[in-house]
Amino acid sequence: MKETRTQTRKLKAFTGVAVAAMAVVIATAPIAQATVQRLAFSGGPDGGTFQFFSNGIATLLSRNVEGVDVSNMASAGSVENLRRVNSRDADFGIVYSGDLYLGLKGELTNDTTKYRNARAVSFLYGAPAHLIVLESSGITDVAQLEGKQVAVGPAGSGAAASAQRFFESLGLWDKIRPQFIGYNQGASALGDRQIDALWVFAGFPNASVIQAATSNKIRLLQVWEAAQQGSLPQDHPYYVKVTIPAETYSGVDYDVETISDGALWVAGRHVPDELVYEALGEVYSEDGLAFMHSVSKAATAMTLESGLEGVATPVHAGAQKFWTEKGKTLTIAQK
């Protein structure tokens, strides 16, 4: 009998230890890891404004949205971002309004794919074209670039696509020698006289243009005036007129009137509506906007008032909820 009682006590003790051990395992199990949603934000090339914005928004969301970890991805730019978001290789991206508009209809240059998975989330900033030459080149007009080497941005980038649209509208695309290189490389090549002109399609002031202006005396050509002489206004009506103020860049003591496309934050339709809604709430909060303004001067264009500026395509369902609550009325094209 004694032995039986002893065995019973041992069994109870073992059972208690086992239950306690299981409780510890359950309590320390990596539940948080299982609930973290990992997302990718496709930005732009090094030195470009896209990369500052994508990294800034990714940082904000990772810090402030519970259960979300957003990584920033380098990219060639707008068109590559559209393709990544559409194929779900990225969840968020930055795409020019024009590329989103044409991509939805299957009318991108040499690309008839209809990119229907990408949806606009918000307007970020206007991206004006900079067309830079050296003062010593004697080039004062866009027409003088015929036969010249022009750096237009990486292949597949929004910069390269916009350059092709602009020069095609003037009948010059087949008459210039486009160089598909990034902004920083282009600024260096211009200073070394390896190219004749540099096309930068980004918010101002742009680091690569500053780089070019610091090393050499540059001239910015009047792109808007040139565009009116071709078919751009009819073929691509989403481009608007923007003025780069005098003294924005060293040695450029005159206003420059140029074309601009809206850089948009986009999300795939696969991204949950609730997540997009919450993400907008964080980014467009007072603290969120202050953080974005510290990331890039171009972010001062981000306001609740300008949230859907330049958007001519459907808006993500989560963003529709956010913006209508903020008093916005969506157009037919945005629904």
Side-chain angles (χ1 to χ4, degrees):
M1 180 71 72
K2 241 185 220 183
E3 186 177 347
T4 303
R5 287 176 183 167
T6 302
Q7 288 174 342
T8 301
R9 283 198 295 270
K10 285 182 178 178
L11 178 61
K12 287 182 178 179
F14 173 78
T15 303
V17 170
V19 170
M22 186 174 293
V24 170
V25 170
I26 292 172
T28 58
I31 297 174
Q33 291 183 3
T35 59
V36 171
Q37 188 169 2
R38 304 192 185 281
L39 304 172
F41 202 127
S42 193
D46 292 338
T49 312
F50 274 24
Q51 193 72 334
F52 292 119
F53 272 80
S54 62
N55 188 56
I57 296 174
T59 299
L60 267 179
L61 300 187
S62 296
R63 286 178 182 172
N64 300 326
V65 178
E66 186 176 352
V68 167
D69 180 25
V70 185
S71 60
N72 181 48
M73 301 170 67
S75 161
S78 176
V79 176
E80 184 174 358
N81 294 342
L82 176 60
R83 291 170 178 154
R84 284 179 175 176
V85 170
N86 188 74
S87 64
R88 302 191 180 193
D89 289 333
D91 305 284
F92 298 122
I94 301 177
V95 180
Y96 288 123
S97 183
D99 290 333
L100 191 58
Y101 175 83
L102 295 171
L104 183 66
K105 300 196 299 178
E107 295 179 359
L108 286 170
T109 303
N110 300 321
D111 185 354
T112 59
T113 302
K114 293 183 178 180
Y115 295 96
R116 292 172 172 164
N117 186 46
R119 290 289 183 264
V121 173
S122 74
F123 168 83
L124 297 177
Y125 67 96
H130 300 66
L131 188 49
I132 307 115
V133 297
L134 295 179
E135 183 77 26
S136 60
S137 69
I139 297 172
T140 59
D141 186 81
V142 173
Q144 292 175 274
L145 293 176
E146 182 174 341
K148 306 295 187 184
Q149 294 191 84
V150 183
V152 297
S157 69
S162 65
Q164 183 168 352
R165 291 173 201 144
F166 172 71
F167 286 109
E168 276 185 343
S169 75
L170 297 172
L172 285 174
W173 181 248
D174 294 330
K175 297 177 182 178
I176 65 170
R177 290 183 285 164
Q179 306 297 306
F180 295 96
I181 57 178
Y183 297 155
N184 288 346
Q185 187 180 352
S188 298
L190 183 68
D192 293 337
R193 276 68 174 174
Q194 295 173 345
I195 59 172
D196 302 288
L198 170 63
W199 174 274
V200 173
F201 207 71
F204 60 84
N206 174 266
S208 298
V209 183
I210 292 173
Q211 175 188 336
T214 300
S215 306
N216 305 272
K217 186 163 179 55
I218 65 168
R219 176 184 291 121
L220 291 181
L221 301 183
Q222 300 291 342
V223 173
W224 176 261
E225 181 182 348
Q228 305 317 298
Q229 299 168 20
S231 61
L232 194 75
Q234 293 75 41
D235 296 342
H236 304 283
Y238 43 82
Y239 286 123
V240 296
K241 181 180 179 180
V242 166
T243 299
I244 300 175
E247 310 299 343
T248 297
Y249 300 106
S250 176
V252 182
D253 57 359
Y254 47 86
D255 288 348
V256 178
E257 294 183 345
T258 186
I259 60 172
S260 177
D261 196 354
L264 307 181
W265 174 9
V266 304
R269 286 194 298 174
H270 63 278
V271 180
D273 298 353
E274 299 78 10
L275 176 55
V276 172
Y277 177 83
E278 187 175 358
L280 278 166
E282 289 295 340
V283 173
Y284 281 84
S285 67
E286 186 175 342
D287 289 342
L289 288 175
F291 175 78
M292 291 304 299
H293 295 171
S294 73
V295 167
S296 172
K297 289 183 179 179
T300 55
M302 290 177 65
T303 64
L304 289 173
E305 291 69 32
S306 68
L308 294 177
E309 186 176 309
V311 177
T313 51
V315 175
H316 193 285
Q320 286 191 30
K321 178 183 177 184
F322 179 84
W323 291 115
T324 52
E325 286 182 2
K326 297 301 179 183
K328 295 290 183 188
T329 301
L330 276 70
T331 65
I332 294 176
Q334 293 169 346
K335 294 181 180 178

